[in-house]
Amino acid sequence: MGAVIGYQIRFEAERAPPLSLEGRVLEAGKRTPLEDIELRAQSEDGKTAFSRTDSEGRFRFAGLTPGSWNVLAQGPGLELRTETVAIQDGSVVSATFYLVRDELESSQFSE
């Protein structure tokens, strides 16, 4: 006879890491939202966090420690963009990234 293992999941909002950084990633010029863009945040002491944009180009990072963070945004056919943001304890930073189409990669399909 097999054993049955039950799990109970309980979400405790007060234990969830606070939101630190939120924003959008848009295509430069057109200002249209970019979906499925990878973002990586790296602190001065080497901590790393990842996020990805939704269908409206929105992203969120939670639990970033106070200090300076380099945030990189990249996607297929788009130039890499890096911004430095200052995270402060108890506040949420908003940022918008404008990514430029990589002309070299885009022109390969137009010839």
Side-chain angles (χ1 to χ4, degrees), residues 11-31:
F11 176 74
E12 297 178 19
E14 65 276 0
R15 298 181 112 198
L19 183 62
S20 305
L21 171 63
E22 66 180 355
R24 296 186 77 195
V25 179
L26 306 173
E27 183 174 347
K30 295 180 180 182
R31 297 184 186 249

Side-chain angles (χ1 to χ4, degrees), residues 50-87:
F50 295 91
S51 185
R52 193 169 286 278
T53 59
D54 64 12
S55 62
E56 295 297 316
R58 293 183 297 248
F59 68 89
R60 300 178 117 184
F61 286 97
L64 301 182
T65 55
S68 183
W69 288 75
N70 288 323
V71 182
L72 292 82
Q74 62 183 11
L78 299 160
E79 293 181 6
L80 173 73
R81 178 85 179 164
T82 304
E83 295 286 338
T84 301
V85 295
I87 301 298

